[in-house]
Amino acid sequence: MNPFFKNSLIRCIFSLNRLHPNLSHDSRRFCHFSGDIGPGSWKSTEGLVRCPVNDVPLSPITFLERSATAYRDRTSVVYGSVKYTWSETQERCLKLASALTQLGISRGDVVAVLAPNVPAMYELHFGVPMAGAVLCTLNTRHNSAMVSTLLRHSEAKIIFVDYQLLEIAHVALDLLKKTETKPPILVLIVESDGSPPTNFSTSDGYEYESLLATGQSEFEIRRPIDEWDPISVNYTSGTTSSPKGVVYNHRGAYLNSLATFVLHGMGSMPVYLWTVPMFHCNGWCLPWGVAAQGGTNVCLRRVIPKDIFDSIALHKVTHMGGAPTVLNMIVNSPVSDRRPLPSKVEVMTGGSPPPPPILRKMEELGFGVSHLYGLTETYGPGTICTWKPEWDSLPPDERYKLKARQGVQHLGLEEVDIKDPVTMKSVTADGKTMGEVMFRGNTVMSGYLKDEKATEEAFRGGWFRSGDLAVKHPDGYIEMKDRLKDIIISGGENISTVEVETVLYNHPAILEAAVVARPDNHWGQTPCAFVKLKEGFDVDAQEILKFCRDHLPHYMAPKTVIFEDLPRTSTGKIQKFILREKAKALGSLS
Amino acid sequence: MNPFFKNSLIRCIFSLNRLHPNLSHDSRRFCHFSGDIGPGSWKSTEGLVRCPVNDVPLSPITFLERSATAYRDRTSVVYGSVKYTWSETQERCLKLASALTQLGISRGDVVAVLAPNVPAMYELHFGVPMAGAVLCTLNTRHNSAMVSTLLRHSEAKIIFVDYQLLEIAHVALDLLKKTETKPPILVLIVESDGSPPTNFSTSDGYEYESLLATGQSEFEIRRPIDEWDPISVNYTSGTTSSPKGVVYNHRGAYLNSLATFVLHGMGSMPVYLWTVPMFHCNGWCLPWGVAAQGGTNVCLRRVIPKDIFDSIALHKVTHMGGAPTVLNMIVNSPVSDRRPLPSKVEVMTGGSPPPPPILRKMEELGFGVSHLYGLTETYGPGTICTWKPEWDSLPPDERYKLKARQGVQHLGLEEVDIKDPVTMKSVTADGKTMGEVMFRGNTVMSGYLKDEKATEEAFRGGWFRSGDLAVKHPDGYIEMKDRLKDIIISGGENISTVEVETVLYNHPAILEAAVVARPDNHWGQTPCAFVKLKEGFDVDAQEILKFCRDHLPHYMAPKTVIFEDLPRTSTGKIQKFILREKAKALGSLS
């Protein structure tokens, strides 16, 4: 067991024994009324009792169990020629959990995975928690050094690796072996019709399907003892600082799965296309959410327009998700890669505000876009821009402006507020006064793994501090203006880089844009735009500067334009700290 | 405070203090990291922390708060000329909660209500819990003696009474005054455009709207301290024994609301017609559920076909619920009472299995019927007959047969199983072997108020025992066969009265039917049918006996037919114990 999860387990056992002092763990599912539960325990004098009959730890594992009955013969997972039903998925996950315990996995142990959205990645979201273990999904764009750092930090006992990422993993394990006597066991994931790559030998570790074959489908699930038991650890992408391990628990995962699929309008048996990486906030908790409604998971190795359109057409996809980068890629895809949509596809977008031109083009292509907002620390989705039917009749520009707002908290969260980070007072809901977005509720993380100081800092004042700056509109909807560290202060005025970028995205020649502060001797800072043009377009900096001055107050218009590819994290977020360094290197303009 | 809820409160306070020893109640929403939270508390050495930032008691109160922002100007409640928006409903509920505390209501106190589905009844579902109190909805068909018994048992401090039921309440309070020195305060509910009835004087108590006017909309909600705090007490209808007070808690109410609206396919902003009495399992938890999605509650005083059809047409109802009795009433309504449906209306039915002929006629009228099953003890809905698309192409009779099955557990429940009530072993899933339906999960009641023995009996063996007999089909769906006490044993064979009744409902002349055991010297028992004919039909017992023999194995066919109106509880359930008494009085046939 990972000693860093041991404490919470001890706490749970303690609390269980306190309540049922005479019951062993195995018999906790049955409560006896033999008089051994005295006063002060769960049994109250008013005839009420809190026991395993009416008090079961919430866990998304139950979604799979329910679907294995209610949607037994329906397709659960499809990927190329691979197709499973919900009863098969349950059996495979049970075997996986069983195999993990046979490899020595105990409660609280961490199991890592480095893979794109292939079926094994989906199965690990159930198989690992079913073994009582904690899933650690690693970003597939990490290099070996980062992978070894995260394996060391999480103390992962096993790492599942997709065949295309084997080399990264090999080097990472070699790095680990320099300091660790017991590096993680490697399990290789190959395509169902493929054979292991030549650089893999059985002495390296196990192969996924062979490992599954050693498991028992009668495995008794190691359910959480307390719903606060950890279910996963997600390392933040580290745009600015060293990665932090965000720990999710079973309760939060259950509640966020439900909230997300409800607010995404996913009815019974949706067909969900996996464009959001499952390594990102556990795919916004939807590997679990799709199971709750017996949906079909369309797995996808490459998130590229051709594969997206092909999958939608072939499987009659109803729902998908993606950062605005993915949407941008879709609307700018070559016509030859596109296919007509069989029916409207509902897309949840989040990660950064969707620029209006992208929203417009997505609608033209037949997608319905809803906008959510959240952070890794809020299990992904935390707010949604709940759409009002009366907005449908507004002019497009007004609609897109409304849709780019982050909205209101979802069902699983207690409160989202915009507060002054110093006084902790709520800002006036005037759509102008900026404050920090703060969250409170059951879908806020358990904390940063082994980083008490960072957890305390993030929870300071009794709220989770997002580090995002936003306003609250008179109708109660919030609108993000910037990252706290991205805001530009020019001549004493706050400039929202998001607002400037929105104007840039409206320019017909611009494919991608990012604005950061450039140091200035006179103004303190001025906005500096980094842009990437669409293919076949050729405009100069002067034209772009003029376009901005025509559409923005003078002080907000960039003073500098630089043409180049924008550096991004694997989840599609622009790495502004790199751009800031570049802008700094330019020196002062005045 | 009701001393019978005090213990659970003490437990919660204790548990809170244990975790945050230096925090008073009022500051519990803020957690400090000043070093006063030592080892053994919620702060773990691995950097994780469990505090009000990420751990908030689940409560359906939050649904109203969210809708008051996200659906601020949308209609929340409509009733005749009365119409409120979600922001108005929140304000009214806050004022109600405030007024209750001004009347002296403390945490854990019981507030009773005797009213049909009028707006005040809806508001009490939020206002009472917001005051930290426990809502006790009384059956509007109870007589004064029963009302006084339940007021005494629940120790209600206040009773809200609809003007049409004032006389019942007056007599009940007079009865109470004989033994109680402090009977409940009476609050009269009148129609918004009506004046108090002549038999009400201000010395009797308060009037609802005037009381609300005394409340403060800035009231600070008394949120549950522990999500296991009671939210309501629902007295069972008492078909066979004295009523028992089933206690619901905030956690269960939150989870069952979500599960029920998800499985009813209620998307964003449904229009819900209140045909299910809110006094029955808190309207299957949907007063809370409708708030979760910003729906519109169409209130209804009289559940009669004309008002149902009128409401559907006027408000464009999308969803409603009702026991098969209500469905029967709809399909047998005079054509003059009907109106065309503006679009398909989704109806959830439950309480008893829907007879196929009723399902067929409902579909013909344009309703979509889904079938759920549960008990007061499971917060209403506990299972749902999840519909499979491949069943759509089956012949109607097969479809209706499948739809009459009780199905699988809903999302909020952990497990539903059919077990041998003695050995507690699961029955074989062969569709034949009968056992008792048993439940386990978070939406099983806290217990029977002040009836420890009954709670223990119901939870014996670690499961909630429903008292219903059912089989499990090979596909995992359950099908109820009878109440444990209703089953007929004839010549050693079990006869499901439900199966015999289904055949009777297929007879074109029969409006209502119920089958009970008649004592028999030779067979032990034989089936005795009580039937009510449709208007204008005239058939004799012989024809009905023959019809049954033509459609059932001989031993299952009734030997006796009696024509009469069937006695029902207010929730539409046939009171079989009355019929059994009548059948017994007939003596043996052989």
Side-chain angles (χ1 to χ4, degrees), chain B residues 344-545:
Chain B
K344 194 175 184 179
V345 177
E346 293 295 341
V347 184
M348 263 199 161
T349 192
S352 59
I358 294 180
L359 288 175
R360 181 171 48 76
K361 287 179 203 157
M362 283 295 283
E363 280 186 11
E364 285 166 7
L365 286 173
F367 294 90
V369 182
S370 53
H371 176 209
L372 60 89
Y373 156 76
L375 301 92
T376 303
E377 289 86 343
T378 62
Y379 292 69
T383 72
I384 176 150
C385 181
T386 298
W387 195 249
K388 297 180 196 279
E390 57 265 35
W391 291 344
D392 282 334
S393 52
L394 293 175
D397 281 355
E398 278 185 57
R399 280 197 286 119
Y400 302 137
K401 223 170 148 178
L402 287 169
K403 187 154 276 182
R405 305 193 304 173
Q406 280 64 30
V408 292
Q409 81 268 20
H410 73 37
L411 284 168
L413 267 174
E414 189 76 2
E415 273 185 277
V416 173
D417 201 6
I418 313 298
K419 287 177 172 288
D420 180 308
V422 178
T423 65
M424 291 305 280
K425 280 202 180 134
S426 301
V427 302
T428 313
D430 57 6
K432 286 176 201 152
T433 316
M434 274 202 252
E436 187 174 355
V437 185
M438 301 200 186
F439 295 86
R440 207 173 65 77
N442 294 303
T443 55
V444 168
M445 64 167 178
S446 301
Y448 296 117
L449 183 61
K450 292 155 63 172
D451 197 343
E452 189 179 319
K453 218 180 130 214
T455 306
E456 290 187 7
E457 181 58 29
F459 287 2
R460 197 164 33 90
W463 290 74
F464 167 65
R465 294 157 172 264
S466 69
D468 286 334
L469 287 176
V471 297
K472 188 184 261 187
H473 287 276
D475 66 356
Y477 279 50
I478 69 164
E479 183 177 357
M480 211 183 114
K481 289 295 179 183
D482 223 329
R483 288 291 297 169
L484 198 51
K485 57 186 175 296
D486 287 345
I487 195 105
I488 299 171
I489 303 171
S490 186
E493 298 276 3
N494 285 336
I495 299 174
S496 153
T497 60
V498 173
E499 283 181 32
V500 182
E501 286 156 11
T502 300
V503 167
L504 287 166
Y505 271 104
N506 270 311
H507 190 286
I510 291 178
L511 181 70
E512 293 175 346
V515 174
V516 298
R518 176 176 176 179
D520 192 282
N521 292 335
H522 180 66
W523 299 105
Q525 299 180 327
T526 58
C528 171
F530 288 80
V531 298
K532 183 182 176 183
L533 295 181
K534 290 179 188 168
E535 257 181 67
F537 281 87
D538 185 24
V539 294
D540 64 8
Q542 285 314 311
E543 181 180 329
I544 289 170
L545 291 175

Side-chain angles (χ1 to χ4, degrees), chain A residues 4 46 66 388 409 450, chain B residues 4 46 66 70 409 450:
Chain A
F4 297 95
E46 64 266 42
R66 184 175 176 277
K388 297 180 196 279
Q409 79 269 22
K450 292 155 63 172
Chain B
F4 298 95
E46 64 265 42
R66 187 177 173 276
Q409 81 268 20
K450 292 155 63 172

Side-chain angles (χ1 to χ4, degrees), chain A residues 399-418:
Chain A
R399 280 197 285 118
Y400 304 137
K401 223 168 147 180
L402 287 168
K403 188 156 275 182
R405 305 193 305 173
Q406 280 64 32
V408 292
Q409 79 269 22
H410 74 35
L411 284 168
L413 267 174
E414 188 76 1
E415 271 184 277
V416 173
D417 201 6
I418 313 298

Side-chain angles (χ1 to χ4, degrees), chain B residues 247-423:
Chain B
V247 176
Y248 292 178
N249 58 57
H250 283 259
R251 174 181 169 96
Y254 176 101
L255 293 171
N256 201 63
S257 309
L258 277 187
T260 304
F261 88 65
V262 165
L263 296 176
H264 197 168
M266 286 163 83
S268 190
M269 298 174 269
V271 180
Y272 190 77
L273 179 65
W274 273 105
T275 33
V276 172
M278 292 190 213
F279 65 73
H280 187 209
C281 313
N282 294 115
W284 303 353
C285 291
L286 282 176
W288 301 309
V290 173
Q293 282 286 67
T296 297
N297 293 280
V298 181
C299 287
L300 199 65
R301 175 174 288 276
R302 304 179 306 172
V303 181
I304 57 170
K306 187 179 181 316
D307 291 8
I308 292 174
F309 279 104
D310 285 352
S311 298
I312 291 173
L314 182 62
H315 301 294
K316 301 191 171 42
V317 166
T318 59
H319 294 78
M320 58 179 276
T325 332
V326 173
L327 274 44
N328 200 18
M329 197 174 72
I330 290 174
V331 300
N332 289 303
S333 59
V335 176
S336 58
D337 282 355
R338 298 187 193 171
R339 303 267 301 263
L341 307 188
S343 59
K344 194 175 184 179
V345 177
E346 293 295 341
V347 184
M348 263 199 161
T349 192
S352 59
I358 294 180
L359 288 175
R360 181 171 48 76
K361 287 179 203 157
M362 283 295 283
E363 280 186 11
E364 285 166 7
L365 286 173
F367 294 90
V369 182
S370 53
H371 176 209
L372 60 89
Y373 156 76
L375 301 92
T376 303
E377 289 86 343
T378 62
Y379 292 69
T383 72
I384 176 150
C385 181
T386 298
W387 195 249
K388 297 180 196 279
E390 57 265 35
W391 291 344
D392 282 334
S393 52
L394 293 175
D397 281 355
E398 278 185 57
R399 280 197 286 119
Y400 302 137
K401 223 170 148 178
L402 287 169
K403 187 154 276 182
R405 305 193 304 173
Q406 280 64 30
V408 292
Q409 81 268 20
H410 73 37
L411 284 168
L413 267 174
E414 189 76 2
E415 273 185 277
V416 173
D417 201 6
I418 313 298
K419 287 177 172 288
D420 180 308
V422 178
T423 65

Side-chain angles (χ1 to χ4, degrees), chain B residues 1 7 24 52 54 106 110 139 153 168 197 232 293 299 304 389 394 404 409 544 568:
Chain B
M1 176 189 291
N7 268 25
S24 73
N54 57 16
S106 307
V110 171
N139 193 317
H153 186 266
I168 304 264
S232 63
Q293 282 286 67
C299 287
I304 57 170
L394 293 175
Q409 81 268 20
I544 289 170
R568 289 185 180 273

Side-chain angles (χ1 to χ4, degrees), chain B residues 117-157:
Chain B
N117 288 347
V118 292
M121 182 68 156
Y122 186 79
E123 290 163 356
L124 285 160
H125 274 81
F126 289 96
V128 172
M130 280 162 129
V134 182
L135 181 65
C136 174
T137 52
L138 299 172
N139 193 317
T140 55
R141 298 212 191 162
H142 282 328
N143 59 21
S144 298
M146 181 59 92
V147 169
S148 78
T149 300
L150 301 183
L151 289 176
R152 183 179 290 116
H153 186 266
S154 64
E155 301 176 44
K157 294 281 191 295

